[in-house]
Amino acid sequence: MATFHMPVRSYRVHPLPGQAYDDRNYGHVHKTVAIDTANTAVIAIDMWNLGGDGDPIIPGVDKYWEYNYMGGHGVAKRAGKIMAEEIVPVLQAARDAGVPVIHNEPPQILARYPGFEPPDPSRIPADDTPDWPPPEFRRELLAEYSSTVFGEGYAEPWQKIRDNYDFADCVKPDPRDSLFSQPQQIERFLKERKILNLVYVGFLLNFCLLMKPGGILQTRNRYRTIVLRDCTAASETAWSTGENLMTKAFIHWLEIGGALTATGEEFRAALSPA
């Protein structure tokens, strides 16, 4: 076990003493936390090989659908750069310091890496979804949403992508890493290792990094969750993409809601003495 000291930030929604109670007097809170390599893990989510330069990854599926599946053209391009330049050194620094790296990926991807995923517990428990609203209505809503947001004809290319995508080459798992697809696997691992601190990297910040089983919404305020700001990105909109405003907004939202944030460089620098 080795202790390392990591600078982190959160966000206060109250003024400092003597200031007027006004949103403009809110601000970041900076501090340093002392944590141990033995009770810390990195969780990497959905780091895929879609949307990069070159020919389509999936034969017969237009490049458009790769960008679409990654949250849009802009974020797909940024994700590739973030993985290569920021996430790769973070994962390597964690491994070198003995901090476990957990890849939280879909079963389709994990099936490509036999031997990485623990055999038990391996499957999601029986579905306990309530029987109201009716399943047919929920399916109609999902189809309506998908066709409106992503375009007509989405189902066939998306199925082909789900059957054939993989890790991006630069972030493929190391033999020291752990691969999980089920929430109970992650919870069991964290309990067995007595993990208290979770460092998050991956995509998309406003979807899977938040809402996936094992994602931030399930772990914040139970564990100390730290999001590396330069190791993630949110899907953007036409009005936000130029300045990555959605990414910045979700980072602030997390900082208000119980998660801490830092940069990949700060994480690596903190680990280097360890």
Side-chain angles (χ1 to χ4, degrees):
M1 179 186 298
T3 300
F4 62 101
H5 297 83
M6 185 172 173
V8 295
R9 81 180 196 196
S10 54
Y11 196 82
R12 57 177 170 83
V13 289
H14 63 86
L16 297 174
Q19 293 181 330
Y21 202 97
D22 188 287
D23 294 2
R24 289 169 293 185
N25 289 327
Y26 301 166
H28 284 108
V29 177
H30 297 270
K31 64 181 180 181
T32 298
V33 293
I35 52 185
D36 294 321
T37 54
N39 61 19
T40 302
V42 173
I43 295 187
I45 292 179
D46 291 357
M47 300 191 299
W48 300 337
N49 61 344
L50 303 174
D53 296 326
D55 295 331
I57 296 294
I58 313 300
V61 176
D62 190 81
K63 201 76 176 177
Y64 163 80
W65 293 106
E66 288 188 33
Y67 297 133
N68 202 331
Y69 208 63
M70 282 292 292
H73 180 269
V75 70
K77 293 294 187 182
R78 285 196 299 277
K81 183 178 177 65
I82 289 168
M83 284 188 282
E85 297 181 5
E86 306 296 342
I87 294 180
V88 166
V90 160
L91 299 183
Q92 192 57 50
R95 293 169 184 135
D96 291 345
V99 173
V101 173
I102 298 170
H103 294 274
N104 183 356
E105 295 288 346
Q108 301 95 311
I109 288 183
L110 268 57
R112 298 175 176 272
Y113 300 87
F116 275 89
E117 185 176 14
D120 176 59
S122 60
R123 296 275 70 87
I124 296 176
D127 185 14
D128 59 357
T129 304
D131 59 7
W132 190 264
E136 316 85 66
F137 179 74
R138 297 198 299 268
R139 285 193 291 270
E140 289 175 9
L141 283 181
L142 179 59
E144 179 182 319
Y145 157 75
S146 299
S147 61
T148 301
V149 174
F150 302 110
E152 294 292 342
Y154 68 91
E156 182 179 351
W158 281 22
Q159 184 60 54
K160 290 180 180 178
I161 287 174
R162 282 194 294 266
D163 290 344
N164 292 282
Y165 64 157
D166 197 354
F167 283 98
D169 286 341
C170 63
V171 290
K172 286 193 173 181
D174 181 276
R176 294 167 286 182
D177 299 350
S178 298
L179 276 63
F180 299 128
S181 63
Q182 307 298 327
Q184 67 270 26
Q185 294 173 316
I186 297 174
E187 291 288 351
R188 176 178 169 177
F189 180 93
L190 299 179
K191 182 177 180 179
E192 288 177 346
R193 299 289 187 96
K194 301 190 184 309
I195 299 296
L196 299 174
N197 308 289
L198 301 176
V199 179
Y200 279 89
V201 302
F203 308 96
L204 289 166
L205 176 60
N206 49 345
F207 288 103
C208 290
L209 211 68
L210 284 181
M211 297 180 285
K212 194 171 186 178
I216 296 165
L217 292 184
Q218 287 194 356
T219 60
R220 66 174 180 172
N221 300 320
R222 294 173 56 223
Y223 299 84
R224 179 184 285 116
T225 56
I226 303 172
V227 182
L228 300 187
R229 299 187 298 272
D230 52 356
C231 295
T232 187
S235 60
E236 300 286 346
T237 67
W239 55 265
S240 71
T241 190
E243 299 180 59
N244 300 334
L245 296 179
M246 292 286 280
T247 301
K248 294 174 182 177
F250 271 89
I251 286 170
H252 277 279
W253 181 76
L254 284 167
E255 291 173 337
I256 294 169
L260 303 171
T261 74
T263 67
E265 182 179 2
E266 288 168 338
F267 178 67
R268 299 194 312 270
L271 278 180
S272 56

